[in-house]
Amino acid sequence: MAKNMQHSASGCADLGQVLKNSSRARTLQKPSSQIRSQTSSFRYRTPLPLSVGAVRFAAYSGPTGDALPLLARKRTVSVAACGRMESGGPVRMELGFAEEAPAWRLHSEQFPSKIGGRPAWLSAAGLPGPAALACSRCGRPLTFLLQVYAPLPGRADAFHRGLFLFCCREPPCCAGLRVFRNQLPRKNEFYSFDPPSENPPSKTRESVCLQLKSGSHLCRVCGCLGPKTCSRCQQAHYCSKEHQTLDWKLGHKQTCTQDRLDHTVPDHNFLFPEFEIVIETEDEIMPEVVEKEHDHEITESMGDAPEEELDSMAKHESREDNIFQKFKTQIAHEPEQILRYGRGTEPIWISGENIPQEKDIPDCPCGAKRIFEFQVMPQLLNYLKADRLGKSVDWGVLAIFTCAESCSLGAGYTEEFVWKQDVTDTP
């Protein structure tokens, strides 16, 4: 289970410039003499779902019939190297951005990467149950945050592969986090062997799909497994008593006695807004450039300070400041990024505090080590509309670690590990 570490990160007074006026950044101020202008090299992004570059399997090549990722073909870079050039060159991370998309593109059969709404489950069997999707702190149902479609080239058993992240959004908790991995071979009982159509279906769904091909029923409120049934109509399914009560108040009380339950469900104000995650490869930022920019900013901020003061400031420049500066510089070219994917690489931390050591990341139950796969950035908070008076969903970095072997455990969902690094507003 994730360790949700709360701490205050020092040296974060200029975070507001990096996060582009996010709700958390509005309370953070910075002396005008230190403000750097930041621009976004916002290029056109094709709305393809993120999958480590393994975007869709619309085309195939290779003697084994493995899916060849579209982005990999375009960039001629090996995604099997987990975001790193095969020649040992610089790391190329995949950056995720939130974009609006037609509803049909976010359905399971399109293998989407997406934010919010209901989960687009990969396997229709072995879904995590209500106990697995309950907050470990307050016990209430978790809310679906996002999913990433991330198949592994060369792995027949992971031709389709998805990671599903959930969080607690119920105050005063807003702390629980859980992530699950699921993978399927190309030939399976749920999806066609052939790639999905890139064209919209002739008939669009008029209601939410609340029953999977496996026969499993989904909760009307959250879209997760719904083993509980309304005792009156025997048609409405729920994951918990909390969600049954919520749905009863918001409309099921009036429709319960209908012969056939209407699957057009009301807005329960429980789900996050829904977006597609589109991808772009991060531009190279050479380490020496980062250091040079950092030194220039420090010198500029010192101005004409006395020599003794300069010496003192130089001696006390902390590791904390260096780490935050690296974070700020790394995202400056694409400040709207909400996700960074690089399986087997390293996350960028927002603070020098609460960085996990190897011993802090538990091994997979199969015995293999877990490795970093992707991180969720604080910029995503801008899209969630989750701000409330008092406590609400918040984080600095969410780092997701998964089994290095991506062990195959049938059609079920395997829990992986989340490390949460918090940033609290500084006075």
Side-chain angles (χ1 to χ4, degrees), residues 7 319 323 347 349-357 360 419 421:
H7 74 282
R319 175 172 174 265
I323 290 174
W349 301 106
I350 200 169
S351 166
E353 299 179 34
N354 189 35
I355 294 177
Q357 304 299 311
D360 297 319
W419 184 276
Q421 188 185 54

Side-chain angles (χ1 to χ4, degrees), residues 11-199:
C12 295
D14 54 353
L15 186 58
Q17 293 296 313
V18 183
L19 304 189
K20 296 190 72 178
N21 300 318
S22 75
S23 58
R24 276 102 193 125
R26 293 189 193 110
T27 60
L28 302 178
Q29 301 298 324
K30 174 181 178 181
S32 58
S33 62
Q34 297 184 34
I35 294 177
R36 278 178 60 193
S37 61
Q38 298 193 14
T39 58
S40 170
S41 55
F42 213 73
R43 296 180 294 280
Y44 174 75
R45 287 185 278 270
T46 304
L48 295 175
L50 175 71
S51 59
V52 195
V55 185
R56 300 245 175 132
F57 65 116
Y60 302 82
S61 70
T64 63
D66 291 338
L68 184 60
L70 297 183
L71 185 60
R73 287 197 300 278
K74 186 170 67 174
R75 292 194 295 118
T76 63
V77 67
S78 170
V79 294
C82 302
R84 187 179 298 272
M85 300 291 285
E86 287 184 303
S87 61
V91 171
R92 291 292 186 93
M93 300 291 289
E94 306 295 343
L95 307 183
F97 300 84
E99 299 282 355
E100 293 184 355
W104 68 271
R105 285 184 63 88
L106 305 180
H107 294 162
S108 294
E109 59 270 20
Q110 292 293 324
F111 308 105
S113 290
K114 75 184 192 79
I115 300 158
R118 292 171 174 81
W121 297 108
L122 184 57
S123 171
L127 270 63
L133 290 175
C135 177
S136 63
R137 297 200 175 190
C138 69
R140 286 176 287 189
L142 298 175
T143 303
F144 171 69
L145 180 59
L146 62 79
Q147 66 188 75
V148 174
Y149 180 66
L152 299 181
R155 284 281 299 272
D157 62 330
F159 187 89
H160 300 296
R161 182 172 175 272
L163 299 164
F164 298 79
L165 179 60
F166 298 81
C167 71
C168 178
R169 64 173 301 180
E170 297 295 327
C173 180
C174 297
L177 289 160
R178 302 187 88 157
V179 63
F180 297 85
R181 170 175 54 86
N182 179 250
Q183 56 199 49
L184 293 172
R186 180 178 174 186
K187 186 176 181 179
N188 61 78
E189 60 183 303
F190 307 117
Y191 302 104
S192 170
F193 189 81
D194 298 320
S197 172
E198 289 293 311
N199 300 315

Side-chain angles (χ1 to χ4, degrees), residues 91-330:
V91 171
R92 291 292 186 93
M93 300 291 289
E94 306 295 343
L95 307 183
F97 300 84
E99 299 282 355
E100 293 184 355
W104 68 271
R105 285 184 63 88
L106 305 180
H107 294 162
S108 294
E109 59 270 20
Q110 292 293 324
F111 308 105
S113 290
K114 75 184 192 79
I115 300 158
R118 292 171 174 81
W121 297 108
L122 184 57
S123 171
L127 270 63
L133 290 175
C135 177
S136 63
R137 297 200 175 190
C138 69
R140 286 176 287 189
L142 298 175
T143 303
F144 171 69
L145 180 59
L146 62 79
Q147 66 188 75
V148 174
Y149 180 66
L152 299 181
R155 284 281 299 272
D157 62 330
F159 187 89
H160 300 296
R161 182 172 175 272
L163 299 164
F164 298 79
L165 179 60
F166 298 81
C167 71
C168 178
R169 64 173 301 180
E170 297 295 327
C173 180
C174 297
L177 289 160
R178 302 187 88 157
V179 63
F180 297 85
R181 170 175 54 86
N182 179 250
Q183 56 199 49
L184 293 172
R186 180 178 174 186
K187 186 176 181 179
N188 61 78
E189 60 183 303
F190 307 117
Y191 302 104
S192 170
F193 189 81
D194 298 320
S197 172
E198 289 293 311
N199 300 315
S202 55
K203 295 182 179 180
T204 54
R205 293 180 188 171
E206 297 180 355
S207 60
V208 177
C209 179
L210 294 174
Q211 185 172 11
L212 301 177
K213 292 180 180 179
S214 62
S216 298
H217 292 276
L218 302 179
C219 175
R220 279 169 55 87
V221 176
C222 65
C224 297
L225 193 64
K228 298 182 182 297
T229 308
C230 173
S231 60
R232 190 175 178 184
C233 69
Q234 298 293 317
Q235 296 184 70
H237 294 263
Y238 304 98
C239 68
S240 61
K241 188 69 175 178
E242 292 95 329
H243 283 183
Q244 183 177 2
T245 302
L246 181 60
D247 191 45
W248 182 262
K249 292 178 179 178
L250 293 177
H252 184 58
K253 181 178 180 179
Q254 286 72 40
T255 61
C256 183
T257 55
Q258 294 179 1
D259 292 337
R260 186 173 180 81
L261 185 65
D262 183 4
H263 286 311
T264 304
V265 297
D267 179 8
H268 299 95
N269 197 31
F270 179 80
L271 303 175
F272 291 121
E274 194 170 32
F275 297 92
E276 186 176 27
I277 300 176
V278 298
I279 54 91
E280 184 174 293
T281 305
E282 184 177 46
D283 289 335
E284 258 182 69
I285 299 180
M286 300 304 290
E288 55 267 28
V289 175
V290 173
E291 293 300 324
K292 184 176 180 180
E293 288 181 353
H294 189 191
D295 293 343
H296 172 72
E297 184 170 312
I298 294 169
T299 303
E300 187 179 70
S301 66
M302 288 176 175
D304 299 323
E307 184 176 348
E308 295 80 4
E309 185 178 345
L310 293 176
D311 289 340
S312 176
M313 292 177 71
K315 290 178 182 178
H316 289 86
E317 182 187 4
S318 66
R319 175 172 174 265
E320 173 76 28
D321 294 332
N322 288 334
I323 290 174
F324 178 72
Q325 177 65 30
K326 180 180 178 181
F327 178 90
K328 187 180 70 170
T329 304
Q330 191 73 43

